[in-house]
Amino acid sequence: MSDALRIVIAGGSGTLGRALSTQLVRRGHEVVVLTRAPRSPSRHPGVREVHWDGRTLGRWTQELAAPGTALVNLAGRLVDARPTPENIADLTRSRVEATTALVEASQRLEEPLTHWVQASTTAIWSDAGDRLLEETSPVPVGLPQMTGVAERWERAAEGAHCDHQVVLRTGIVLEAGTPALERLVLLARWGLGGPVGTGRQWVSWIHVEDWGRIVLAALGLEQPQLPEGIVVASAPHPVRNAEMMRLLRRGVGRSHGLPTPAPLLRLGAVLLRTDPALGLTGRHATSRVLDEAGFRFQHPRLDGALADLLPG
């Protein structure tokens, strides 16, 4: 096992950062969160919060200097925004600038970081239809929105001074109480939990506990330890949107739900200031790397994951 028991999480005050911090602290590891808005006391017992602006070098770089330090880079603006040129540019800038600053800070270290876990997204493949995607699947060239954002995000991490780097292309992370899941649950309870658009778009998803365990494996803190390179952090059984909505309805005790036609979703997306592509596009992404490494999901199927996450 790795000796990297000190983990710095950039952008760790969000949903995934909080979940990961909890898992790390429970295992007795030291956790430092780089955040634009640190709190005292910290949001989580056992976690120290340090200010950074996500762009420039500063005193926060000292947090990387201790021997045996590992880094998890989750920094970046939430993708739940209208797909305007300005928002796409901001989504890109918030990720690339933060990653570039971290890489530059690492290059000034006397000793390399033991591990670097770089966040990315399966949305890098855009709307992939029925293509079966894995780590070696080619990325589309020249597409806007999250394909362009994620490609530059991943590329910004090149040159990091570290012994071991893993890039996690993550599917939709399911966690109780998060806005994404709560919004779907609310629709199902209101009788609007039918298929979205055609309902045939694939949903690549992962339970938050399994996502955290993959990060721990990438950090060398849990077996099986993962090799360097790209890893798809997604459950082994993606489902189509219609099946996901059916399972959500079942989870909240609703047998039927009205569908949401694409024009209605696009109108609603304008009102909610979000991107309709989040509901209308999809991809079937699974991990050959995790399978070959012997990683075993605690929640491999969506019905079991929802049963664990939904109240009652």
Side-chain angles (χ1 to χ4, degrees), residues 34-52:
L34 303 181
T35 173
R36 290 176 175 84
R39 295 182 184 178
S40 182
S42 170
R43 295 167 176 83
H44 300 286
V47 175
R48 186 160 54 86
E49 298 187 3
V50 173
H51 178 266
W52 79 325

Side-chain angles (χ1 to χ4, degrees), residues 42-309:
S42 170
R43 295 167 176 83
H44 300 286
V47 175
R48 186 160 54 86
E49 298 187 3
V50 173
H51 178 266
W52 79 325
D53 64 4
R55 288 185 300 112
T56 58
L57 302 186
R59 295 183 62 183
W60 61 267
T61 61
Q62 300 172 13
E63 303 299 333
L64 304 179
T69 297
L71 174 75
V72 179
N73 180 22
L74 305 176
R77 175 185 168 183
L78 291 175
V79 300
D80 194 3
R82 292 290 298 156
T84 64
E86 294 79 9
N87 282 340
I88 293 171
D90 192 41
L91 287 170
T92 306
R93 183 168 51 249
S94 66
R95 286 160 172 75
V96 172
E97 289 182 347
T99 304
T100 300
L102 290 166
V103 169
E104 184 177 349
S106 76
Q107 291 172 342
R108 299 186 179 192
L109 299 174
E110 292 186 8
E111 297 185 16
L113 298 166
T114 62
H115 293 76
W116 181 303
V117 179
Q118 172 68 30
S120 185
T121 170
T122 58
I124 196 170
W125 284 296
S126 188
D127 188 9
D130 286 335
R131 289 172 56 208
L132 303 182
L133 304 169
E134 56 184 35
E135 284 82 3
T136 58
S137 298
V139 172
V141 177
L143 293 182
Q145 291 169 265
M146 284 313 296
T147 292
V149 172
E151 191 275 332
R152 290 187 60 190
W153 193 13
E154 292 184 6
R155 187 153 36 91
E158 296 175 0
H161 186 37
C162 61
D163 290 330
H164 189 276
Q165 187 179 74
V166 174
V167 177
L168 292 186
R169 290 181 180 171
T170 300
I172 297 173
V173 181
L174 300 180
E175 182 181 9
T178 56
L181 186 58
E182 287 298 300
R183 187 179 298 173
L184 291 172
V185 169
L186 192 61
L187 287 173
R189 285 179 174 154
W190 284 353
L192 301 174
V196 175
T198 66
R200 290 189 54 77
Q201 60 272 34
W202 285 103
V203 180
S204 293
W205 61 274
I206 186 169
H207 190 294
V208 66
E209 290 182 5
D210 283 325
W211 178 84
R213 291 177 54 240
I214 291 172
V215 175
L216 292 176
L219 289 169
L221 299 176
E222 182 168 310
Q223 297 291 353
Q225 297 185 42
L226 301 182
E228 286 195 283
I230 294 168
V231 175
V232 174
S234 186
H237 301 288
V239 297
R240 295 194 187 271
N241 172 269
E243 174 67 3
M244 180 184 72
M245 299 308 295
R246 184 187 71 80
L247 292 172
L248 275 169
R249 293 197 306 272
R250 189 175 74 179
V252 299
R254 293 278 186 173
S255 58
H256 300 287
L258 295 176
T260 304
L264 181 60
L265 180 66
R266 293 190 180 97
L267 175 61
V270 173
L271 299 175
L272 294 174
R273 298 183 179 180
T274 188
D275 187 351
L278 296 175
L280 294 174
T281 64
R283 55 214 61 87
H284 186 294
T286 57
S287 177
R288 180 184 294 271
V289 172
L290 291 177
D291 185 54
E292 292 179 348
F295 184 89
R296 294 294 176 260
F297 286 82
Q298 293 179 347
H299 306 279
R301 296 190 178 275
L302 185 57
D303 53 352
L306 292 175
D308 182 70
L309 294 169

